[in-house]
Amino acid sequence: MLENKFMNAVGFFEGLPIDNHQSFIDEKKIVPKPSPNDLLVKVSAVSVNPVDTKIRQNSIKRNALQVLGFDAVGEVVSMGEKVKKFKIGDRVFYAGTTTRSGSNQEYQLVNEQIVALAPKSLSDEEAAALPLTSLTAYELLFEKFGIIPEKNANKGKNILVINGAGGVGSVLNQLAHWAGLEVYATASPKNFEWLEKYGVDHPIDYHDDLKESLRKLNVQEFNYIAVLFDISSYIEQIKHMVKPFGHVGTIVGVHEPLDISEWKNLSVSFDWEYMFAKTDHEYEIETQGKALEKISKLADEGNIKTSLSKVYSTGINASNIKKATQDVENGHMLGKVVISGEFNGGEFNGGEFNGVVSLGE
């Protein structure tokens, strides 16, 4: 039984610069108890996303340990009495939620509806790179844009992806290509090989004038435009690049109003995508588990590749999470960075509760 046992966790008490020795610390928590619809997962690999850094940087000082981490792979070790989809010993992956303690802890509670069996063909590290970015890409393409989520079902249509070499872009390009779209994507020329490996038909140098680059490729308009960057700096360039009844979407917030009035008479749709909106507002959360089932199947069939690019494999602890977070904060990373192994931040290896630790999930 895990109840009243200690577990290792990595967290912080206030949002400090990453080079501060208290930005992440190794702590102890009590293993949480599953609610009726929860899985208790022993975490074996996690990844760091830009949202992790934003939440930490904006966090105020608290008395309770704040545990981040969204992407995770692990083994189901306990579950609530209403769980139906999983069994003890299942290897699962998921992107978690902002409303509960994260995956940077040895044992994590997660609602079964947002979980799927991890791809059998991928290692823990490879699978941990997928959930958050693949859900973001899947929801933008197939739910917001209305693209048919079937192989080659959208032939004859095209998509322009701004910032195509990042974590989300690396999955979105592959899903769009699998669905039959002709994929154009921007990046630095040094990353063109990466783009082509991950489903892009036409790499575009983001340094060059976009309109001129597209003219050389003999294309002027797109059915879909996905801007995986602050769209404010691109809005004027793309205003006349979307076809009537097309879609433009972004995943990054803006700090100034956007003038999209010119799209009104074209019946162009503008879509925001925020992967955590469903769990933040308890809206159709089961669709995320189903989407991850699809992602897992596509990975096992070889239709999509993991976007893993870097691994810290000597254990999940404050030191390695700091290093991975610095990689993300420095920017210009291809794909995803993952931390894997045992939680080894402290010397305590379990036992009965006999001291003061951080409580809660």
Side-chain angles (χ1 to χ4, degrees):
M1 293 293 291
L2 292 167
E3 291 184 25
N4 296 326
K5 297 292 181 77
F6 281 127
M7 67 173 177
N8 290 301
V10 180
F12 55 90
F13 290 97
E14 62 180 314
L16 297 169
I18 192 60
D19 56 0
N20 188 295
H21 73 286
Q22 293 287 308
S23 60
F24 283 105
I25 56 176
D26 294 301
E27 279 285 333
K28 303 297 176 186
K29 292 181 64 179
I30 295 176
V31 177
K33 182 179 179 180
S35 296
N37 298 109
D38 283 341
L39 305 176
L40 181 65
V41 178
K42 188 178 191 303
V43 176
S44 57
V46 300
S47 78
V48 176
N49 293 280
V51 67
D52 295 72
T53 70
K54 292 174 184 177
I55 291 175
R56 190 195 84 255
Q57 291 167 348
N58 294 324
S59 293
I60 61 173
K61 188 172 183 178
R62 299 180 185 175
N63 293 324
L65 185 73
Q66 301 178 62
V67 177
L68 289 176
F70 299 105
D71 286 325
V73 173
E75 178 185 348
V76 177
V77 295
S78 182
M79 62 181 65
E81 64 270 20
K82 293 185 178 180
V83 170
K84 298 178 180 179
K85 294 170 55 182
F86 301 96
K87 63 182 185 301
I88 302 298
D90 280 346
R91 178 173 170 264
V92 297
F93 76 149
Y94 50 89
T97 169
T98 62
T99 63
R100 308 179 78 171
S101 288
S103 56
N104 295 341
Q105 56 186 7
E106 199 168 359
Y107 297 94
Q108 182 189 11
L109 292 180
V110 59
N111 188 304
E112 71 160 336
Q113 293 185 88
I114 62 172
V115 177
L117 294 175
K120 295 178 181 178
S121 61
L122 301 185
S123 67
D124 287 351
E125 292 84 358
E126 290 170 331
L130 280 175
L132 190 151
T133 53
S134 63
L135 280 175
T136 300
Y138 190 98
E139 290 180 357
L140 183 58
L141 290 176
F142 304 128
E143 296 181 8
K144 303 299 177 62
F145 285 0
I147 295 168
I148 300 169
E150 297 175 9
K151 187 172 184 178
N152 293 327
N154 305 271
K155 286 287 189 180
K157 295 184 178 181
N158 60 7
I159 185 170
L160 171 65
V161 183
I162 305 294
N163 190 25
V168 174
S170 297
V171 182
L172 188 146
N173 296 333
Q174 295 182 81
L175 289 174
H177 183 84
W178 166 78
L181 297 176
E182 189 169 7
V183 183
Y184 299 73
T186 69
S188 171
K190 66 180 181 181
N191 297 328
F192 279 7
E193 184 177 350
W194 176 277
L195 289 183
E196 291 170 341
K197 178 182 177 181
Y198 286 88
V200 174
D201 300 295
H202 307 283
I204 299 168
D205 187 347
Y206 83 93
H207 298 96
D208 295 340
D209 179 80
L210 183 57
K211 185 177 180 180
E212 179 60 20
S213 295
L214 293 173
R215 186 191 66 78
K216 292 177 181 178
L217 292 170
N218 199 32
V219 61
Q220 295 179 327
E221 294 181 319
F222 295 89
N223 301 101
Y224 311 98
I225 300 177
V227 184
L228 311 179
F229 195 76
D230 185 346
I231 197 172
S232 302
S233 57
Y234 287 94
I235 195 74
E236 290 302 321
Q237 297 180 68
I238 66 174
K239 270 186 178 179
H240 304 290
M241 293 181 181
V242 59
K243 293 181 180 180
F245 306 99
H247 287 258
V248 176
T250 188
I251 63 173
V252 180
V254 298
H255 303 287
E256 57 188 56
L258 297 176
D259 180 8
I260 58 175
S261 58
E262 292 182 44
W263 290 337
K264 185 263 183 186
N265 288 350
L266 298 176
S267 288
V268 167
S269 297
F270 183 84
D271 300 292
W272 291 105
E273 164 56 23
Y274 178 57
M275 196 279 299
F276 294 115
K278 288 181 178 178
T279 50
D280 283 352
H281 302 284
E282 289 293 316
Y283 177 79
E284 297 182 355
I285 65 171
E286 71 283 355
T287 62
Q288 295 199 324
K290 292 177 181 177
L292 285 176
E293 289 177 9
K294 183 72 171 181
I295 294 297
S296 184
K297 184 174 185 289
L298 289 173
D300 282 336
E301 292 173 345
N303 286 303
I304 62 171
K305 304 180 182 72
T306 179
S307 55
L308 175 67
S309 60
K310 190 173 185 179
V311 179
Y312 293 94
S313 61
T314 56
I316 305 174
N317 52 50
S319 176
N320 281 340
I321 287 179
K322 280 184 184 180
K323 293 174 185 175
T325 301
Q326 284 178 315
D327 290 335
V328 173
E329 290 187 0
N330 289 339
H332 306 294
M333 263 201 71
L334 292 173
K336 298 288 292 295
V337 56
V338 168
I339 311 100
S340 65
E342 294 293 323
F343 279 78
N344 54 13
E347 298 178 357
F348 191 82
N349 292 316
E352 299 301 323
F353 171 63
N354 59 3
V356 178
V357 297
S358 297
L359 302 177
E361 291 186 4

